[in-house]
């Protein structure tokens, strides 16, 4: 089982009845796996804050609840995350947050552990899939015992590492009735009274941390002491099996007395932690200063057994072979037939300023398109475009995916419509959440469990905001796409172009019969115009462009760009 | 039993992750402690993808250390170069003799066509396999990953029955016979 599968299994065993989240690598598979259990109502929500709010309701209503998100998702859900602890919970409420050290598929490398400290909620972190399964149950018990949300932190490495995991049967958790006490749950009115309660709870949690079984010491060499957590624990065991190790399972609040006792046994103690020096900082706050931590273990990127060995021994990590040979970088590319390609090729041609968003289409900022000039976080494109317009830029296009639009783009479009901002928004409706691996969303017509759902009608929705210029195009049709974008830009008010064509990797698209194109070498003038598509089906072979038939899905974009008409339907060649 | 370290690398869409999952499942079925740490960032095609599979009596870290990998299985030549520094001195590199040009972002140097010679020159035990050609011949280029896995299987201490059972368990019915043929073809290419 992968770490994510193990967490889903453990949550099911612990009697979880409701689970909600929004996709985000590396958290996505937790909810996808929960959806396979019939006892659990699992759903994709429009964004992480919505999922969190739904989770709060379910947990107060008495159902054990898990909400899932990647680290940046917690930023979106931060508002309720900071307030709900003032109330606490009724049934167990666990918030799974997956950090991505190394930024394998993320826009930043934030260490979400600090959130737990700000919100004053306990934070647990497992070290492998087997431990994750057990610890998620402990998280629910902890949540109910102290009536607090519990943050459960994982990282990419934990989420996507497979290992052997034992399993057990599900234990149903009885629904706990909700008692209507405004003085506990209507926070803005009663916050002053709840504030000292929160502090009392934290004090009790500190005491709990001292005896939590997820913290343990493995005795070894009495001269080498290591404090560690999560995945870095595995690296320590790998490279320094002889060390005396204090493995932390609860990261906030930390067991102060136990750490003081442990560290007093050594001259210096290594604190091996990934990302920031969170544990080290807390320990410094306790007055434990005989430690070596971030001085030796970088806060940038993911740790590894090599980096941990280097930090412990003061040695360096062997280099790769890039000194001797051209190890060219290999960024991902838009797939053959990707619906986004036609939009970016057109935007490049028009030369307009493009504010972008997060998804597969973020690749529009790379060659051969270079047609996206800003990208930050989900939903930012439309607001950024408004700002550029206010700063005096008159030809601005915002590009946003369908899932991203529903997640956080909609409020910005409402603002743009309300303020009559003459920008053009291109909504890339490829019928799926592509980047994270094809999750359903409110625009696709299906829910997480695969049953039919109403699909958002974008045209009606957007018109209802007061946007008068709304046009739908097929991005495989380059002429129509260019015409539509130009007319959007010419429109004096806000305009929205919906570029609609399914992601070619969706199973129903893959199952279709495709036409394909081929290059006629006698006609080819070797101008390389076709490579301006950046299509992975096109390769150089025997000194000519060649189209790999198995990749080509027949979008015809290369044929459209070829000035010599040397690219033709394979069936007619 | 010491830990065996395998690193599988390729281009997104080539099936590096599936190959490593098959290997991890087979090793587990053969009674070994296994950790498989994979990188699968985004759904799109074309980026560099890698996965570590480690098995033995007791495995801690999900990824092998540099210079500790026994077998590098590369589905593409440039990707073999990218991870070769993980391979032990004299370790084995099984490389698909297949080239996928990367999209150019800044670095304009030519594709290293001499990758296989280069790796031989570094003292690795290099096995160049025409896996994609073989897979196309069998009817689907996408099974190059399983062809290579067959080649690797010849060097590992996992019984053939376990491999066969793993393929049956993990590969969907309609693709099973194709993959079985790919695996068998790969075994035939090991030169063993
Ligand atoms: C707050 C937040 N939640 C989740 C993610 C993970 N994520 C990155 S792109 C993306 C969705 C992209 O889907 P869509 O907008 O439909 O574009 P596509 O990839 O299909 O082109 C998600 C969920 C994120 N980056 N930020």
């Amino acid at each position: 089982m992968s770490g994510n599968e193990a967490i889903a299994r453990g949550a099911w065993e612990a009697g979880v009845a409701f689970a909600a989240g929004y996709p985000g690598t590396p958290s996505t598979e937790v909810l996808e796996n929960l959806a396979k259990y019939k006892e659990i109502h699992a759903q994709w929500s429009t964004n992480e804050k919505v999922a969190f709010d739904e989770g709060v309701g379910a947990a107060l209503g008495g159902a054990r609840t898990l909400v899932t998100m990647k680290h940046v998702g917690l930023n979106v859900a931060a508002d309720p995350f900071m307030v709900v602890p003032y109330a606490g919970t009724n049934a167990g409420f666990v918030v799974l947050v997956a950090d991505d050290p190394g930024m394998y598929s993320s826009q930043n490398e934030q260490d979400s552990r600090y959130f737990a400290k700000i919100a004053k909620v306990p934070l647990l972190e497992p070290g492998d899939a087997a431990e994750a399964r057990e610890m998620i149950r402990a998280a629910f018990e902890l949540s109910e015992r102290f009536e607090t949300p519990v943050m459960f932190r994982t990282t990419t490495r934990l989420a996507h590492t497979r290992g052997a995991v034992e399993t057990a049967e599900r234990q149903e958790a009885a629904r706990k009735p909700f008692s209507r006490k405004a003085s506990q749950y209507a926070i803005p009115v009663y916050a002053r009274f709840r504030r000292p309660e929160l502090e009392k709870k934290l004090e009790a949690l500190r005491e709990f941390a001292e005896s939590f079984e997820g913290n343990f010491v493995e005795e070894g060499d009495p001269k080498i002491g290591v404090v560690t957590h999560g995945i870095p624990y595995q690296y320590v065991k790998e490279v320094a099996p002889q060390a005396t190790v204090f493995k932390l399972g609860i990261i906030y609040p930390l067991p102060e007395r136990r750490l003081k006792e442990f560290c007093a046994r050594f001259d210096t103690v290594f604190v091996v932690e990934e990302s920031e020096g969170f544990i080290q900082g807390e320990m410094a706050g306790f007055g434990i200063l005989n430690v070596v931590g971030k001085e030796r273990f970088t806060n940038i990127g993911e740790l590894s057994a090599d980096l941990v060995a280097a930090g412990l021994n003061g040695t360096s990590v062997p280099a790769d072979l890039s000194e001797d040979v051209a190890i060219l970088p290999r960024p991902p590319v838009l797939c053959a037939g990707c619906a986004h390609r036609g939009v970016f090729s057109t935007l490049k041609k028009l030369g307009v300023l493009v504010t972008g968003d997060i998804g597969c289409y973020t690749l529009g900022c790379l060659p051969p398109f270079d047609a996206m000039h800003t990208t930050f976080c989900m939903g930012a494109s439309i607001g950024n475009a408004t700002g550029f317009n206010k700063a005096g830029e008159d030809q601005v296009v915002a590009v946003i995916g369908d899932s991203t639009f529903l997640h956080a783009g909609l409020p910005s479009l409402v603002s743009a419509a309300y303020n009559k901002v003459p920008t053009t928004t291109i909504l890339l409706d490829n019928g799926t959440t592509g980047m994270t691996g094809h999750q359903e969303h409110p625009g696709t017509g299906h829910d997480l469990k695969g049953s039919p759902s109403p699909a958002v009608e974008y045209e009606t929705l957007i018109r209802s905001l007061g946007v008068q210029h709304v046009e739908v195009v097929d991005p495989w049709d380059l002429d129509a796409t260019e015409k539509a974008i130009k007319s959007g830009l010419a429109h004096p008010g806000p305009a929205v172009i919906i570029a609609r064509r399914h992601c070619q990797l969706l199973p129903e698209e893959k199952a279709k019969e495709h036409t394909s194109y081929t290059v006629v070498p006698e006609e080819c003038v070797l101008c390389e115009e076709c490579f301006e598509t950046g299509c992975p089906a096109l390769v150089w072979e025997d000194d000519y462009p060649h189209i790999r038939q198995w990749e080509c899905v027949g979008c015809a974009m290369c044929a459209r760009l070829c000035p010599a008409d040397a690219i033709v339907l394979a069936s007619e060649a | 039993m010491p830990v065996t370290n395998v690193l599988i690398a390729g281009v997104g869409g080539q099936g590096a992750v599936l190959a490593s999952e098959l290997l991890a499942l087979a090793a587990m079925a053969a009674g070994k402690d296994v950790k498989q740490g994979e990188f699968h960032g985004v759904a799109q095609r074309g980026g560099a993808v890698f996965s570590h599979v480690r098995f033995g009596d007791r495995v801690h870290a999900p990824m092998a250390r540099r210079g500790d990998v026994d077998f590098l299985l590369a589905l593409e030549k440039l990707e073999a170069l990218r991870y070769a520094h993980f391979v032990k001195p004299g370790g084995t590199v099984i490389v698909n003799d297949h080239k996928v040009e990367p999209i150019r972002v800044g670095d304009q140097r030519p594709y290293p066509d001499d990758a296989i010679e280069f790796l031989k020159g570094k003292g690795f035990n290099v096995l160049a396999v025409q896996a994609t050609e073989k897979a196309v011949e069998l009817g689907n280029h996408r099974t190059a990953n399983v062809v290579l896995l067959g080649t690797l299987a010849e060097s590992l201490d996992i019984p053939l029955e376990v491999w066969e059972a793993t393929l049956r368990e993990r590969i969907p019915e309609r693709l099973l016979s194709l993959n079985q043929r790919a695996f068998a073809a790969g075994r035939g290419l090991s030169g063993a």
Side-chain angles (χ1 to χ4, degrees):
Chain A
M1 269 189 216
S2 70
N4 280 347
E5 287 167 325
I7 291 166
R9 174 75 197 196
W12 173 77
E13 289 173 9
V16 162
F18 178 67
Y22 181 75
T25 317
S27 71
T28 314
E29 300 88 358
V30 174
L31 206 55
E32 286 176 333
N33 278 288
L34 283 169
K36 294 178 187 161
Y37 297 108
K38 65 176 185 329
E39 298 88 347
I40 300 180
H41 182 92
Q43 63 174 51
W44 290 128
S45 307
T46 31
N47 68 33
E48 294 86 353
K49 173 185 152 47
V50 172
F52 194 100
D53 292 336
E54 290 164 342
V56 169
L60 291 182
R64 277 198 173 181
T65 298
L66 180 68
V67 295
T68 70
M69 59 198 69
K70 69 182 294 176
H71 61 305
V72 282
L74 185 57
N75 303 345
V76 176
D79 194 1
F81 185 75
M82 297 298 166
V83 179
V84 170
Y86 278 61
T89 185
N90 175 28
F93 181 45
V94 177
V95 185
L96 177 131
V97 179
D99 279 358
D100 187 15
M103 300 180 277
Y104 288 100
S105 39
S106 303
Q107 63 264 40
N108 74 346
E109 193 174 56
Q110 81 190 26
D111 185 338
S112 300
R113 294 178 298 175
Y114 292 93
F115 272 85
K117 185 173 180 180
I118 306 176
K120 299 178 190 283
V121 300
L123 186 160
L124 304 187
E125 182 180 358
D128 66 11
E131 192 185 15
R133 178 194 143 257
E134 288 168 22
M135 199 180 266
I136 193 90
R137 167 187 293 279
F140 280 100
E141 285 163 4
L142 176 63
S143 172
E144 283 175 9
R145 180 164 155 201
F146 292 92
E147 297 186 359
T148 175
V150 172
M151 181 167 160
F152 194 84
R153 179 196 190 234
T154 68
T155 57
T156 303
R157 197 53 53 206
L158 182 110
H160 291 164
T161 292
R162 262 167 246 273
V165 176
E166 283 174 25
T167 56
E169 280 316 301
R170 174 175 169 93
Q171 286 178 340
E172 284 303 334
R175 187 169 164 208
K176 301 174 88 189
F178 175 63
S179 61
R180 299 183 189 183
K181 274 191 298 189
S183 59
Q184 186 172 350
Y185 301 115
I187 293 306
V189 181
Y190 292 101
R192 272 177 223 285
F193 303 104
R194 299 297 304 171
R195 178 72 185 85
E197 295 300 314
L198 187 60
E199 225 48 48
K200 266 191 226 155
K201 205 177 274 186
L202 190 56
E203 211 34 60
L205 284 164
R206 289 198 177 100
E207 209 42 52
F208 167 84
E210 299 289 348
S211 60
F212 178 52
E213 292 157 4
N215 302 326
F216 55 84
V217 174
E218 289 174 336
E219 294 297 340
D221 187 330
K223 290 212 159 38
I224 311 174
V226 176
V227 172
T228 187
H229 70 119
I231 285 284
Y233 163 77
Q234 308 294 350
Y235 301 143
V236 170
K237 295 301 283 183
E238 184 81 31
V239 305
Q242 77 284 14
T244 301
V245 177
F246 192 154
K247 153 89 162 58
L248 292 163
I250 185 163
I251 310 297
Y252 188 80
L254 286 173
E256 177 175 350
R257 287 199 305 279
R258 284 192 73 183
L259 281 168
K260 276 183 172 154
E261 278 160 28
F262 182 82
C263 294
R265 291 164 53 189
F266 305 91
D267 289 339
T268 45
V269 172
F270 290 101
V271 177
V272 183
E273 64 183 313
E274 200 161 60
S275 297
E276 308 300 335
F278 178 80
I279 295 170
Q280 189 179 4
E282 290 294 288
M283 285 169 68
F286 302 150
I288 306 174
L289 297 171
N290 60 330
V291 303
V292 173
K294 282 298 132 186
E295 303 85 338
R296 293 276 194 94
F297 306 97
T298 177
N299 65 344
I300 301 176
E302 189 183 22
L303 287 185
S304 63
D306 284 315
L307 283 169
V308 170
L312 291 174
N313 308 327
T315 52
S316 62
V317 175
D320 68 11
L321 302 178
S322 53
E323 287 280 301
D324 306 348
V325 64
I327 304 183
L328 307 171
R330 189 189 293 282
V333 293
L334 294 176
C335 306
C338 176
H340 303 334
R341 182 172 281 110
V343 170
F344 288 113
S345 144
T346 307
L347 287 170
K348 180 181 189 175
K349 185 169 168 193
L350 298 179
V352 287
L353 181 77
V354 179
T355 58
D357 229 296
I358 311 265
C360 291
Y361 52 92
T362 306
L363 295 174
C365 71
L366 295 183
F369 309 112
D370 301 307
M372 181 179 284
H373 309 109
T374 66
T375 313
F376 302 104
C377 57
M378 301 269 297
S381 58
I382 302 174
N384 291 162
T386 293
F388 271 110
N389 172 267
K390 295 304 159 209
E393 198 74 50
D394 61 352
Q395 299 273 287
V396 191
V397 172
V399 175
I400 187 164
D402 48 352
S403 186
T404 304
F405 174 71
L406 296 170
H407 173 284
L410 189 53
S412 310
L413 187 62
V414 175
S415 179
Y418 173 56
N419 291 299
K420 305 175 287 282
V421 186
T423 49
T424 297
T425 298
I426 303 180
L427 171 55
L428 301 169
D429 180 13
N430 63 353
T432 190
T433 316
M435 171 114 176
T436 43
H438 296 137
Q439 290 74 31
E440 304 290 349
H441 63 64
T444 65
H446 286 92
D447 66 15
L448 170 58
K449 294 234 178 190
S451 59
S453 286
V456 170
E457 287 176 38
Y458 297 105
E459 295 90 312
T460 319
L461 170 73
I462 292 165
R463 283 217 172 80
S464 79
L465 308 178
V467 177
Q468 281 159 11
H469 188 104
V470 182
E471 201 177 330
V472 181
V473 287
D474 173 1
W476 276 14
D477 185 340
L478 292 181
D479 290 333
T481 303
E482 183 173 340
K483 219 172 120 221
I485 298 175
K486 277 185 175 160
S487 72
L489 284 165
H491 182 73
V496 175
I497 312 298
I498 302 173
R500 181 167 291 152
R501 176 166 285 269
H502 273 183
C503 168
Q504 294 300 302
L505 294 191
L506 283 172
E508 62 266 30
E509 292 298 323
K510 285 211 268 188
K512 283 186 187 160
E513 280 285 325
H514 288 293
T515 56
S516 63
Y517 283 76
T518 190
V519 181
V520 183
E522 299 79 49
E523 306 285 333
C524 177
V525 295
L526 298 175
C527 67
E528 302 191 22
E529 233 1 79
C530 50
F531 283 99
E532 288 300 303
T533 57
C535 177
L538 262 165
V539 290
W540 274 110
E541 220 162 72
D542 306 326
D543 296 328
Y544 281 99
H546 171 82
I547 298 173
R548 285 198 181 126
Q549 294 300 302
W550 70 65
E551 294 257 20
C552 181
V553 297
C555 76
M557 203 169 127
C558 54
R560 278 295 325 280
L561 294 182
C562 178
D565 292 331
I567 302 182
V568 299
L569 271 172
S571 55
E572 289 166 14
Chain B
M1 185 180 63
V3 171
T4 302
N5 295 312
V6 180
L7 202 168
I8 302 184
V11 179
Q14 284 192 312
V17 171
L18 175 63
S20 68
E21 214 184 307
L22 287 167
L23 172 56
L25 289 170
M28 229 178 265
K32 300 171 201 293
D33 186 31
V34 181
K35 285 234 168 108
Q36 177 213 347
E38 68 204 29
F39 157 84
H40 55 97
V42 292
Q44 316 99 311
R45 301 295 168 77
V49 174
F50 68 90
S51 178
H52 293 236
V53 186
R54 311 186 64 218
F55 49 91
D57 290 335
R58 180 81 181 95
V59 183
H60 288 286
M63 304 209 315
R65 293 182 64 179
R66 296 181 177 201
D68 260 358
V69 163
D70 303 281
F71 301 95
L72 168 61
L73 197 72
L75 280 78
E76 199 275 348
K77 290 190 285 184
L78 174 59
E79 298 316 304
L81 297 178
R82 197 181 311 284
Y83 299 100
H85 59 292
F86 274 91
V87 183
K88 321 188 134 117
T92 299
V93 180
I94 301 176
V95 51
N96 184 8
D97 193 352
H98 178 68
K99 160 176 167 178
V100 181
E101 275 279 354
I103 198 107
R104 296 310 171 114
V105 277
D107 195 333
Q108 295 302 330
R109 287 176 294 172
Y111 182 98
D113 282 315
D114 59 347
I116 290 171
E117 289 315 307
F118 173 86
L119 289 168
K120 284 184 179 157
K122 285 279 167 190
F124 297 122
N125 169 28
V126 182
L127 210 61
V129 180
Q130 307 289 336
T132 299
E133 252 169 54
K134 195 75 197 167
V136 170
E137 204 178 295
L138 292 171
N140 190 333
H141 70 281
R142 291 212 195 282
T143 53
N145 57 348
V146 176
V147 172
L148 284 170
L149 204 56
T151 310
L152 171 71
E154 288 298 285
S155 310
L156 299 178
D157 156 40
I158 297 175
L160 186 58
E161 311 85 75
V162 171
W163 280 110
E164 285 168 349
T166 305
L167 288 176
R168 277 196 304 275
E169 193 184 309
R170 178 63 182 77
I171 306 285
E173 185 65 43
R174 67 195 163 84
L175 296 173
L176 184 59
S177 109
L178 180 70
N179 279 279
Q180 284 168 332
R181 277 180 286 135
F183 189 79
R187 291 179 57 216
L189 296 174
S190 72

